[in-house]
Amino acid sequence: MPTWQKEWPRLERGGGTSWGDTTAPTTQIGTGSGAWEPKTLGTKANLDLEPGMSRAPPSSGAPPTSTAQASCGQAGYGQFGQGDIQNGPSSSTVPTPRLPGSQPFGSPLAPAVSQPAVLQPYGPPPTSAQVTAQLAGMQISGAMAPAPPPSGLGYGPPTSLASASGSFPNSGPYGSYPQGQAPPISQTQGHPGVQPPQRSAPPLASSFKPPASGGPRMPSMTGPLPPGQGFGGVPISHPNHVSSPLPQALPPGTQMTGPQGPLPPMHSPQQPGYQLQQNGSFGPGRGPQPNYGSPYPGAPTFGSQPGPPQPLPPKRLDPDAIPSPIQVIEDDRNNRASEPFVTGIRGQVPPLVTTNFLVKDQGNASPRYIRCTSYNIPCTSDMAKQAQVPLAAVIKPLARLPQEEASPYVVDHGESGPLRCNRCKAYMCPFMQFIEGGRRFQCCFCSCINDVPPQYFQHLDHTGRRVDAYDRPELSLGSYEFLATVDYCKNNKLPSPPAFIFMIDVSYNAIRTGLVRLLCEELKSLLDYLPREGAEESAIHVGFVTYNKVLHFYNVKSSLAQPQMMVVSDVADMFVPLLDGFLVNVSESRAVITSLLDQIPEIFADTRETETVFAPVIQAGMEALKAAECAGKLFLFHTSLPIAEAPGKLKNRDDRKLINTDKEKTLFQPQTGVYQTLAKECVAQGCCVDLFLFPNQYVDVATLSLVPQLTGGSVYKYACFQVENDQERFLSDLRRDVQKVVGFDAVMRVRTSTGIRAIDFFGGFYMSNTTDVELAGLDGDKTVTVEFKHDDRLNEESGALLQCALLYTSCAGQRRLRIHNLALNCCTQLADLYRNCETDTLINYMAKFAYRGVLNSPIKTVRDTLITQCAQILACYRKNCASPSSAGQLILPECMKLLPVYLNCVLKSDVLQPGAEVTTDDRAYVRQLVTSMDVAETNVFFYPRLLPLVRLRIGTKSPIESTTELPAVRASEERLSSGDIYLLENGLNLFLWVGASVQQGVVQSLFSVASFSQITSGLSVLPVLDNPLSKKVRGLIDSLRAQRARYMKLIVVKQEDKLEMLFKNFLVEDKSLSGGESYVDFLCHMHKEIRQLLS
C-alpha cells in the first residue's frame, strides 16, 4: 500500500446532511404591532425593532472631508482624524415622536427608567435575590425578593455600558436622549434567582397570548442558552462585563443613580426548561398581563383597562440581543474544532475560517484551497435570480497547509502526460465514471465517452470502481499534482529555473532615510534563504540594479575580483547592457555580491538626485529575464512619484475635492495606459513584480500598483519610513516575501459540469481571453475568486462539479499541473440553498465585487447596490422560507445572521466611506490588497479581533495565567473596560489599548513603569521583562503575527489619548467618524429595506 494512502475508512459520496423539515434554521428579530403567533421553525430568534424609532437610511457618501495633508507620524496604512468620536445615541433632549402603526418598526414599548451613564467596571458580586412573577398564566417562582422590580421593566432595570468617556454624543436622526443619560435598552436583562419554567419537553417556540393593548409583552423563549448568557443579558464570558449589585425596586419615575453594571445571567445554562440563546428569542421585556395584579400597589396594569395612549420615550435596540459574530465564532469552534473535516461527502459546509481544524482529503478539495458562497446551488437560473445569492468560489491554488496535513501528491505519467477528456480537456479525477469493464470512462464534466489508454487500464470491482482507485491520488483525492510534459511548456521547451532581480531606488529620499544601507545589509544574509523546494541549494539566480533618473546594472560574475557597474541613461529605449554576469548563482558569486552590497550605500551616499523613473525599471527587469529565457520576479524598492522625463512619467493628481462626486472613480484608475501595456508584456514573459513603497507624500499607488497586481505580485507600503520605527516590519515582510514558494508563468482554468459556467473573475492576474487566468507569479497567499452562472438546468441527483487546473513552473524549474476538484449539491427548494451558505465567503465576494465597482461607478451607486442585494437575499428568505410572522420582525437565515454586521463593515471601509484623514493612496492600497485576499483575511480585516488580556479574578484581582487562547469580545467601545488591556488586530494593524484604571501591578509587569501616566503613547515595542504576564502577552503578539500574511506593527494606545481616535476607527460595531452607521442602526435600516421589498 502506498505511503500516501490514508488509514481512515472511505465515506461514500452521496447527498449532504438530511434535515427533518424544509425550513432553514432562522434568526428572528423584531415584533409587530399585530397578534403574536407561535412559530414552528427549528431555531428562531425574535428581536424587537422598536416602533417609536424613526430611522433614516444611511447616507451613501462620506461627510465632507478636509483637504489637510496627513502628517507622517501616523500609523497603519491610513491616517485618521483625531476629532471626537460619535458612538452612541444622540445627546439631544427633544423626544422623538412615536410613529403610527403602519411605520416599519415594531410595537409599543414599556416606559424605561432612565439611568446616568456612569461606567464602573468593578463592583462586589450581586446578592442572590429571587423574585416571583406571574405572566400569561405561567408561573415563574422562587423565594420572595425584598422588593419586586417596577412594572414595565420586565425582569430587571435597564443597564447599559456607557462609552468610555461617559457621554453619548449626538448620533443624528436615530433617536435622542437627555444629555448624560444612557439610552433605554431592551428590557430583557436577567434577574438573579428567577427560575425557568419547568416543562418536560420545551416546544420549538413558546406560545403566549399577547396583551390586549399594545403594551409590553413577555419575551418568547426558545432553544438552548449559550454559555454565560441569561435572558437577553450580557454574556458573562466577556471579561469586561463585571456585575454590580441590583438596585432595590423604585417607584415609578424615580431616577436610578450610582454604578449600574450589566446584570448576571438568570440561571445556569445547564438548567432545564425554557432557555434563551443568541439565535433564540429576543425582545423587550413585557409588563404584567391582563387580569393579573400589579407587582405593587399603585403600579399601572398594562392592558387591563383601556386608557388614553401615553407617549413613550424612543428606545434603543439592545446590542446584546442582536446576532454576535463572537458568539457564532465560539459556537463553531466548540462544535467543529475537535473532529477532522472529512471531504468525502458532497456539498458539506466546512467549519468557519476562524476555527482551527484538520482536513482529511477523501475526494473533494480541502476548504483551504476552495471555499464557496453556497454548497447547495439552485437547480435553475430562475431560482438563482430569485434568491440573489451570488454563486462564487474563492480559490487559493497554492495555499500553505498546516504541518499535520500532507501536501498534494505528485503523479508522474511519463511521456504520455496526464489523462484528460478528449472533448472538454478536464483532467482525470475521482468523479470520472469507468465503464465497459474499465476500457472506457465517461467524463463527469461533459459526459463524453473516452477510451482508456492501454498503459492506464485496470479492472473494475463489483461497485464499478477501479481496483487501483486507492493507489492513485487522481482517483481518490480532491487535490493532487501532475508532472507536465514538454507539450505544456512555452515553445515546447522545458523551462529554466526562475531568477530574482533586486531593483533599488538610490535617490536622495532612499539614501537619507537609511533605507538603502538597511536593505543592502539584510540582502547579504537573506540570499541564503531563497526557496529551494527540498534541494540542498536554491536553483534561483539573482541580479542587481540600482536607479534614480538613470539605471545602473551590475556585473557580479564569480570570476571578477570586484563588481562592475554599467549605466543606461537612455530610459526612453531601455535595453540590458550585459547578459553574462548579470544573473548569477548565489553560492558561486557570494564574494562579489557581498562586495557589491557593501559598496552601494557608499557610492550613492552624497547623491542630490531627487527625481526617479519607474516604468523603465520594470521594462529593464523584464528584458533581462527575456534575454535569459526564464521566468522570475522583480523586487522593486521605490520612494517617490516618478516625475523624471521617461515613459510612465506621472503627475500629482491627488484631489480630495473629487470625493463624493462622479469623478471620484478616476482616483482609483491608472493615470496612463503605459502600465497596462507593460503589465501585459510582463505576464507574457512570466515576470512577476513585487513593489515595496516608502512614500513621504502622494505617489499615485493606483497607477504604480497596476503592474504588480496584473502580474500576480504584491505591494507593501511603509508611509514616512523611519529605520528605528519601521525596520522590523519592513525586514519581516521582505524575508517572508523572498522565502515564500511561488509558481511562475502560471495559467489557471476553472472547468464546470454541464449547467453552470464561470463568467467572472476577481483577483490579481491578467486575462487575454474569457477563460484563462494568466499569472506571471502566484504565491500561497493569493486567491482568485470565480463567479458562476447557470446556462442550463442542473440535476439534484448528479449535483455540480468544479475543477480548477493550475499549470505553473516551480521554484526548482519544474513544470507542473495542480488540480483541485469539488462536488456541490443542487437543490429545488430555496430553504436548502439558505441552509448551506457561507457568510464569510459571501462577504469576501461582495467586497471584491464592490472594490472593482469603484473603478467604473460612483461610490454611492456601489454602496446602494450592495445594500439592495443584501436586502433582496434576506427578503427572498423571509418570503419563501420563513413561517408567517409579524411584519415587525426581522427574520434572518441561521447561517446568514451575520450578513448585516459584516456588510456594514464593508460599507464603512476606507475605500467605500473614507474618513477625512484617509489619503487617496491609502484607499488605492487597500483596494488592491483586498482584491487578492482569502476568506480568513477578509474576515478579520473587516471585523477585527478584540482580545482582553487581563482577566481579573473577583476578589484577588490578580492576572489569570492561562495557556488557552483568550476569547475575543465584540468590536465596540461599549465592550472596553477601563480596568483592562486589549489587543486589536485586523491582519494589517495591531493595537494594544490600555485602560486608565488598569492595576499598577499590571502596568509594571508589561511596561516597566510605575503608573498609567508614565506609559509612552504610540510605543511600538513592549519591553522584554522576565515575568509571566509580559512573556504571555509578547507570546500572544508573536503568535498573532505568525498567523497573518504581513507583519503587524504594534501601536500602544492609552485611554483618552489622541491616538485613541485611530484605534476607535476599528471598533466596527459603533458609528464611525466618517459617518458610517452603527451595527444596531444598520440592522434597522436593512429591516426597512426588506419590508419595502416585501410590500
Side-chain angles (χ1 to χ4, degrees):
M1 181 182 292
T3 54
W4 57 264
Q5 187 166 332
K6 310 297 183 200
E7 290 83 21
W8 56 87
R10 176 177 150 237
L11 294 180
E12 290 299 332
R13 288 191 302 282
T17 317
S18 62
W19 300 77
D21 59 67
T22 56
T23 316
T26 302
T27 296
Q28 267 178 234
I29 304 181
T31 61
S33 50
W36 185 89
E37 312 92 352
K39 305 295 180 290
T40 56
L41 288 184
T43 49
K44 276 231 176 180
N46 311 340
L47 198 145
D48 281 333
L49 298 177
E50 310 307 346
M53 291 160 120
S54 165
R55 295 187 181 275
S59 59
S60 287
T65 53
S66 72
T67 54
Q69 275 292 326
S71 68
C72 270
Q74 290 167 308
Y77 65 75
Q79 285 82 22
F80 300 92
Q82 284 153 12
D84 296 329
I85 192 156
Q86 292 192 349
N87 211 7
S90 147
S91 57
S92 158
T93 53
V94 184
T96 306
R98 182 176 159 196
L99 300 177
S102 62
Q103 290 293 323
F105 300 109
S107 64
L109 305 155
V113 179
S114 58
Q115 168 196 330
V118 179
L119 178 69
Q120 179 158 336
Y122 309 114
T127 57
S128 58
Q130 306 253 322
V131 299
T132 304
Q134 289 182 320
L135 295 165
M138 182 181 70
Q139 197 88 12
I140 303 179
S141 59
M144 193 65 187
S151 169
L153 277 180
Y155 283 123
T159 60
S160 173
L161 282 172
S163 63
S165 59
S167 65
F168 289 82
N170 191 345
S171 63
Y174 298 108
S176 51
Y177 305 92
Q179 182 69 44
Q181 289 183 2
I185 62 173
S186 296
Q187 314 301 326
T188 55
Q189 305 289 1
H191 198 291
V194 178
Q195 296 299 316
Q198 302 296 316
R199 290 282 288 266
S200 56
L204 288 174
S206 53
S207 170
F208 300 108
K209 293 293 282 182
S213 79
R217 294 180 284 182
M218 177 69 192
S220 61
M221 308 175 194
T222 58
L225 193 72
Q229 182 148 344
F231 275 64
V234 180
I236 57 168
S237 61
H238 294 175
N240 47 328
H241 294 150
V242 181
S243 305
S244 44
L246 274 170
Q248 297 300 308
L250 302 167
T254 306
Q255 193 86 355
M256 282 199 280
T257 58
Q260 306 262 329
L263 299 180
M266 203 165 77
H267 52 76
S268 77
Q270 287 75 30
Q271 284 180 279
Y274 292 111
Q275 294 169 331
L276 194 66
Q277 60 176 1
Q278 191 64 46
N279 57 352
S281 297
F282 309 97
R286 277 110 187 190
Q289 305 297 299
N291 307 321
Y292 286 89
S294 298
Y296 56 87
T301 306
F302 291 99
S304 56
Q305 294 173 1
Q310 297 296 317
L312 295 171
K315 241 183 138 188
R316 180 166 173 249
L317 195 60
D318 179 8
D320 282 314
I322 53 183
S324 158
I326 304 305
Q327 190 65 51
V328 171
I329 288 167
E330 284 300 311
D331 289 348
D332 193 75
R333 277 185 185 149
N334 295 336
N335 296 334
R336 305 197 65 179
S338 55
E339 292 294 317
F341 178 69
V342 180
T343 71
I345 301 172
R346 183 177 82 188
Q348 283 184 107
V349 181
L352 299 180
V353 286
T354 44
T355 298
N356 192 10
F357 62 99
L358 282 179
V359 179
K360 288 188 174 177
D361 184 342
Q362 289 193 358
N364 282 295
S366 161
R368 304 192 206 287
Y369 295 123
I370 306 181
R371 277 189 178 263
C372 295
T373 53
S374 178
Y375 288 81
N376 203 334
I377 60 181
C379 279
T380 65
S381 59
D382 290 344
M383 193 171 153
K385 280 178 196 152
Q386 188 183 358
Q388 286 289 314
V389 176
L391 304 177
V394 179
I395 304 173
K396 196 176 181 184
L398 298 179
R400 286 188 310 280
L401 301 179
Q403 288 181 337
E404 300 87 347
E405 293 175 25
S407 297
Y409 295 98
V410 181
V411 180
D412 186 359
H413 282 312
E415 290 183 13
S416 60
L419 186 57
R420 305 175 70 175
C421 169
N422 291 330
R423 183 197 287 162
C424 69
K425 302 299 179 192
Y427 293 87
M428 179 54 65
C429 72
F431 311 120
M432 298 289 191
Q433 188 68 45
F434 286 87
I435 54 176
E436 297 180 20
R439 288 187 294 277
R440 290 178 153 195
F441 70 91
Q442 182 169 20
C443 177
C444 52
F445 294 94
C446 70
S447 302
C448 175
I449 307 284
N450 298 269
D451 289 330
V452 174
Q455 71 273 17
Y456 199 76
F457 173 78
Q458 187 53 270
H459 295 285
L460 308 184
D461 64 13
H462 65 285
T463 65
R465 277 184 77 99
R466 284 172 57 118
V467 295
D468 67 346
Y470 290 107
D471 298 331
R472 292 187 176 273
E474 74 272 22
L475 298 181
S476 56
L477 299 177
S479 301
Y480 42 88
E481 289 198 326
F482 291 119
L483 281 187
T485 59
V486 73
D487 303 335
Y488 292 87
C489 303
K490 205 178 278 182
N491 305 324
N492 282 352
K493 187 175 155 192
L494 289 172
S496 307
F500 284 179
I501 304 177
F502 297 91
M503 315 189 90
I504 305 166
D505 177 349
V506 287
S507 63
Y508 174 74
N509 270 341
I511 298 293
R512 180 185 59 82
T513 57
L515 167 66
V516 174
R517 190 172 294 278
L518 177 71
L519 175 59
C520 289
E521 203 56 46
E522 176 64 24
L523 285 178
K524 287 186 211 170
S525 55
L526 188 53
L527 293 177
D528 289 329
Y529 297 97
L530 300 177
R532 60 190 65 197
E533 290 197 344
E536 281 189 21
E537 67 173 51
S538 176
I540 295 172
H541 284 69
V542 298
F544 300 89
V545 173
T546 56
Y547 67 95
N548 38 49
K549 277 206 307 195
V550 298
L551 276 74
H552 322 104
F553 292 80
Y554 295 93
N555 184 346
V556 282
K557 197 173 179 180
S558 56
S559 56
L560 296 175
Q562 284 292 322
Q564 297 172 345
M565 177 200 281
M566 298 185 184
V567 180
V568 177
S569 52
D570 183 5
V571 289
D573 184 19
M574 184 45 62
F575 67 97
V576 181
L578 77 160
L579 287 178
D580 190 32
F582 179 62
L583 294 177
V584 296
N585 180 292
V586 175
S587 56
E588 290 173 10
S589 297
R590 161 68 63 197
V592 193
I593 291 173
T594 304
S595 173
L596 171 67
L597 294 172
D598 283 336
Q599 290 179 43
I600 287 175
E602 308 307 326
I603 296 170
F604 299 100
D606 300 322
T607 186
R608 287 289 171 265
E609 184 56 73
T610 55
E611 293 186 357
T612 57
V613 295
F614 188 74
V617 183
I618 297 175
Q619 180 84 35
M622 184 195 64
E623 295 291 350
L625 293 177
K626 190 184 281 186
E629 296 185 344
C630 67
K633 186 185 274 198
L634 312 182
F635 295 85
L636 249 82
F637 304 90
H638 190 80
T639 59
S640 57
L641 192 70
I643 55 171
E645 275 308 324
K649 174 187 174 181
L650 302 178
K651 61 179 190 292
N652 188 333
R653 53 161 186 171
D654 190 17
D655 186 359
R656 296 191 66 82
K657 295 193 201 71
L658 297 181
I659 293 177
N660 294 329
T661 70
D662 284 351
K663 288 186 177 175
E664 184 174 5
K665 61 191 177 193
T666 60
L667 297 175
F668 296 107
Q669 296 166 353
Q671 265 189 58
T672 160
V674 169
Y675 291 96
Q676 179 86 23
T677 309
L678 187 56
K680 183 179 175 181
E681 292 173 14
C682 283
V683 171
Q685 182 47 47
C687 170
C688 175
V689 180
D690 279 1
L691 175 61
F692 292 78
L693 281 170
F694 306 87
N696 287 334
Q697 53 198 14
Y698 178 75
V699 290
D700 198 350
V701 172
T703 304
L704 297 190
S705 66
L706 186 68
V707 176
Q709 187 173 359
L710 292 179
T711 59
S714 306
V715 179
Y716 300 85
K717 180 167 165 282
Y718 310 89
C720 308
F721 179 81
Q722 293 174 307
V723 168
E724 57 275 17
N725 293 335
D726 301 300
Q727 89 170 44
E728 192 179 359
R729 180 173 154 230
F730 162 55
L731 294 181
S732 176
D733 285 343
L734 176 62
R735 286 168 193 149
R736 195 172 184 283
D737 197 58
V738 168
Q739 292 174 41
K740 65 186 171 190
V741 174
V742 183
F744 292 99
D745 208 2
V747 182
M748 186 181 110
R749 183 176 284 197
V750 178
R751 292 178 174 86
T752 55
S753 55
T754 309
I756 53 170
R757 62 191 170 89
I759 55 126
D760 208 353
F761 299 84
F762 303 83
F765 50 77
Y766 182 79
M767 292 187 79
S768 56
N769 58 39
T770 56
T771 55
D772 292 336
V773 174
E774 298 172 46
L775 303 123
L778 177 68
D779 60 54
D781 298 324
K782 302 287 192 305
T783 64
V784 176
T785 302
V786 188
E787 186 183 3
F788 304 98
K789 281 265 164 61
H790 287 75
D791 58 7
D792 202 350
R793 188 182 175 87
L794 292 166
N795 186 326
E796 249 185 308
E797 283 181 27
S798 55
L801 300 174
L802 315 177
Q803 185 180 81
C804 164
L806 178 78
L807 174 65
Y808 71 99
T809 302
S810 73
C811 289
Q814 202 174 45
R815 200 72 172 149
R816 291 183 182 177
L817 281 153
R818 180 168 289 199
I819 313 295
H820 299 297
N821 304 288
L822 185 64
L824 302 173
N825 285 331
C826 298
C827 59
T828 53
Q829 300 291 325
L830 282 166
D832 291 327
L833 164 68
Y834 282 101
R835 192 185 282 121
N836 291 281
C837 287
E838 220 217 7
T839 303
D840 293 327
T841 311
L842 205 52
I843 288 295
N844 181 285
Y845 165 83
M846 290 172 114
K848 290 172 181 178
F849 178 81
Y851 281 18
R852 187 176 68 182
V854 301
L855 292 172
N856 305 307
S857 307
I859 283 187
K860 183 181 187 307
T861 308
V862 173
R863 292 171 54 83
D864 291 346
T865 302
L866 282 183
I867 292 171
T868 304
Q869 182 169 19
C870 181
Q872 284 174 331
I873 291 170
L874 299 177
C876 174
Y877 176 81
R878 172 72 186 257
K879 183 178 177 182
N880 298 290
C881 305
S883 298
S885 59
S886 151
Q889 285 177 319
L890 170 60
I891 301 183
L892 303 171
E894 178 61 24
C895 64
M896 277 192 194
K897 65 185 178 187
L898 299 182
L899 189 59
V901 61
Y902 286 162
L903 183 69
N904 191 35
C905 296
V906 174
L907 293 170
K908 291 200 290 188
S909 64
D910 290 334
V911 174
L912 298 182
Q913 193 162 36
E917 300 303 319
V918 180
T919 66
T920 307
D921 274 349
D922 288 331
R923 296 176 71 198
Y925 175 62
V926 170
R927 195 197 75 79
Q928 63 82 29
L929 208 56
V930 168
T931 304
S932 294
M933 276 187 183
D934 71 7
V935 180
E937 288 171 323
T938 50
N939 174 271
V940 77
F941 178 74
F942 289 115
Y943 193 95
R945 277 211 295 182
L946 184 61
L947 302 166
L949 297 189
V950 183
R951 314 295 300 274
L952 296 178
R953 287 199 186 110
I954 301 302
T956 62
K957 292 194 175 179
S958 64
I960 291 174
E961 301 303 336
S962 164
T963 53
T964 58
E965 189 179 332
L966 296 173
V969 295
R970 293 168 71 166
S972 168
E973 191 179 353
E974 283 189 350
R975 310 287 163 172
L976 299 177
S977 153
S978 64
D980 210 337
I981 293 176
Y982 296 83
L983 258 182
L984 183 143
E985 63 114 358
N986 75 339
L988 295 182
N989 309 79
L990 187 62
F991 293 95
L992 189 72
W993 183 88
V994 186
S997 315
V998 78
Q999 293 170 26
Q1000 252 180 305
V1002 171
V1003 172
Q1004 184 73 46
S1005 296
L1006 273 184
F1007 301 100
S1008 194
V1009 294
S1011 67
F1012 172 80
S1013 59
Q1014 291 174 298
I1015 299 171
T1016 309
S1017 182
L1019 194 71
S1020 60
V1021 181
L1022 290 180
V1024 178
L1025 303 172
D1026 188 16
N1027 66 67
L1029 185 64
S1030 174
K1031 286 176 182 173
K1032 188 182 169 194
V1033 172
R1034 284 182 288 111
L1036 179 64
I1037 289 171
D1038 289 342
S1039 73
L1040 288 177
R1041 284 171 172 161
Q1043 290 170 25
R1044 304 295 171 213
R1046 290 164 187 247
Y1047 184 91
M1048 298 182 290
K1049 179 181 169 185
L1050 180 71
I1051 301 167
V1052 174
V1053 177
K1054 293 164 68 178
Q1055 187 176 0
E1056 306 288 336
D1057 186 79
K1058 62 174 191 264
L1059 267 178
E1060 200 179 28
M1061 283 303 115
L1062 175 61
F1063 171 77
K1064 284 179 180 175
N1065 193 63
F1066 297 94
L1067 300 177
V1068 289
E1069 287 199 21
D1070 300 333
K1071 196 174 193 304
S1072 71
L1073 283 166
S1074 55
E1077 287 185 300
S1078 70
Y1079 175 19
V1080 169
D1081 290 340
F1082 184 70
L1083 203 57
C1084 294
H1085 175 61
M1086 282 309 305
H1087 187 215
K1088 186 176 174 185
E1089 293 277 333
I1090 292 165
R1091 291 185 62 167
Q1092 282 175 347
L1093 287 171
L1094 292 174
S1095 61

